[in-house]
Amino acid sequence: MIKKVLIANRGEIALRIHRACHEMDIKTVAVHSTADADAKHVKLADEAVCIGPPPATDSYLNIPRIIAAAEVTGAEAIHPGYGFLAENAALARLCADRGLVFVGPSPQALELFGDKAAARDLAARNAVPTLAGTPAIASVAEAERFMREQCDGAAVILKAVAGGGGRGMRVVREPGDLAAAFEACAGEARSAFGDGRVFVERFLPVARHIEVQIAGDGRAVVVLGDRDCSVQRRRQKIVEVGPAPWLSAACRRRLEEAALVLGRAAQYRNLGTLEFLVDADENVFFMEANPRLQVEHPVTEAVTGLDLVALQLELAAGVELAALGLEARPAERGMAMQLRINAETLSADGSVRPAGGQLALFEPPGGPGIRVDACGRAGYRPHPAFDTLLAKLIVHAERPEPAALVARASRALAEFRLRGLGTNLEFLRALLAHGPWVDVPVCTDHVERRLAALLERGTVSGNDPQGQGAGAGARIDREDPLAVLEYGHQAGTTPARAADPNGDDATVVRAPLQGTVVSFAVEPGAAVAAGTPVAVIESMKMEHEVPAGQGGRVRRLHAAVGDTLWEGQALLSIDPDEVQGTVRSDEQGIDPDLIRPDLAEVLERRAGTRDERRPGAVARRRRTGQRTARENVADLVDEGSFVEYGPLVVAAQRRRRTIEDLIERTPADGLITGVGRVNGDLFDDPEARVAVMAYDYTVLAGTQGVHKWCTGGAQGVPGQSGISCISCGNG
């Protein structure tokens, strides 16, 4: 058995691994950046080694330093946790060459599943369904051709071949937006993964994100459970539930079989997760694999009673699944949920920004079925160079009932007390108040569709950047081998940065959010127009363009590429002059043409019922030589006279379909009703006015559910107003 493990990570996952090791009488070695010298995982470890300054490239991503730390301390194994080097095949191969155990899959499996295009090929060779897609592409023209020929102009999603965690992904609904999305994805992928290759896949707008947890010993593979990860924001997970609710036994079986097929084909060893999209008809599509421990692994631990980190260590030591009693899927008890507590602020427009500051109070909840995995504590100050995760709240209910689970999770969130910096606690409370999973399945656009309502309660204001004139991070001389030690002797002080340029005539462009400067698009002396992108900042796994709010000439850059800045810190100064150009719209006052988010949602819902937004349904009618119901109504009544009743009603099938799917596939519950005029040029009101009912046979073969109030309402109009009623059948 392994006697000493080096933990190549930080934060809550480093603590989680440390505790599992000590349960197994395994000694631990913590590695840390200078910013984490006082971190809890460092203090609890048996040994600790400083491996560099805060930028991850100089510490937690620095393979030579991590290998050296393992060899100096006599560690027998390296556990990478999740993120950082967890999926790095080069580290796994180097461990093997140096006689170290890598607690994770083989280098071959990491290379296979680390390449999304190669993983899709593996699925295709093994008859596991995938969405239509391309191999890695080199040009926008290839993406345009795929969108035109394979998707009939419907939306696509661009993905980084080496991507993960929501990075290097863009949904494109219009061909004209492909070029910008392609460049953004490729640039983000190069920055995050060192690989700018992207591929294109058909976008499934209404789907559930279900993942299957597997374990393998290189010969046998077993499924340990599944989780629903559909509650996301910008394709990054927020809440996970397991086992996935509202799945039929047949669909769960298909998911399990697909995961086993892929795991066996890869001769998989250790823990891994296979991720799938499930549509409204429970068709299953393989999406990607995560060959590592997942952030949400405690969900499966809660319902199975397994310690997945201990299982990783045993599999890495060569123990077979049969010897561990894991020859079949373990029995599950109840249902569990994980909620991610992040140091972040949510603005009124729904955008998320990392929050800086120090935790003055950190009091997690307790009681039956409550677990908190956390790195946060009173006095803790998150470093802007790293992830914003403070804690994971894991809630378990003995009964597999979503309502009971959501109720317990809501009580736990109400008890969680954090002060000193902005967090997403209020947002999570608002999210659960809307009862996800209680009555119907949840799809990946759940948060976006309800954002306006969630913001009413869950908005958190940002922190005041005043007094933060110094940079949030630090730069050192990378050529000086003693620079790290010198920085470490500075007793935690932050190197002084340039004073904030206030009080002169220059316009200062400030960092809109806390993050690291990726690039500048201008130099001193350059002329810029208002609205021109002048810099790119990386924050929360995404790159953000920073526009110039004022036209003029760049006077000075106040930061450098690689600097980590607080929100509100100066990036550059602009001297206004004749190059001023246009003024940003947010400086022009209130826009009278602005559409409120709630009204925009209603307009979007109404637009989604029209034929032009349902090309597939229209095409099916055309194949049989038939017209659509809306075409018939449009030709029947005088132009512009039809007022539709109940277009937002959907079929009564919420037990079988998600509300998102019903909105897309059952507009008006299959019955177009309203009032209009016929031959208004020949007759006056009320003689020209009619009530119209038209059965829409593009909706579920022309059947309505129990929501027939439309029929009754339309038939009641003639009696109440003395007008005629016209009923249109199929044809």
Side-chain angles (χ1 to χ4, degrees), residues 555-617:
R555 175 192 291 185
R556 179 186 173 194
L557 302 183
H558 297 286
V561 172
D563 278 358
T564 301
L565 304 180
W566 299 110
E567 177 182 349
Q569 273 193 266
L571 278 167
L572 55 89
S573 300
I574 295 175
D575 289 317
D577 65 8
E578 70 277 2
V579 193
Q580 193 168 47
T582 59
V583 180
R584 277 172 38 182
S585 61
D586 62 357
E587 295 172 356
Q588 297 175 349
I590 298 174
D591 182 1
D593 296 322
L594 178 67
I595 298 176
R596 301 192 319 270
D598 54 349
L599 177 58
E601 182 178 359
V602 172
L603 295 176
E604 173 64 20
R605 283 281 308 276
R606 290 183 67 91
T609 67
R610 303 301 188 249
D611 286 350
E612 54 267 26
R613 293 286 292 273
R614 306 180 67 232

Side-chain angles (χ1 to χ4, degrees), residues 418-433:
L418 292 171
R419 291 179 188 166
L421 49 74
T423 71
N424 64 336
L425 265 177
E426 278 301 318
F427 178 79
L428 292 173
R429 289 165 182 156
L431 183 65
L432 290 198

Side-chain angles (χ1 to χ4, degrees), residues 1-5 24-27 76-77 101 103 312-314 316-317:
M1 193 62 187
I2 298 170
K3 298 298 183 183
K4 183 184 284 190
V5 171
M24 303 171 71
D25 292 326
I26 299 174
K27 293 187 179 298
E76 302 167 55
V101 175
V103 183
Q312 280 191 293
L313 292 164
E314 290 173 313

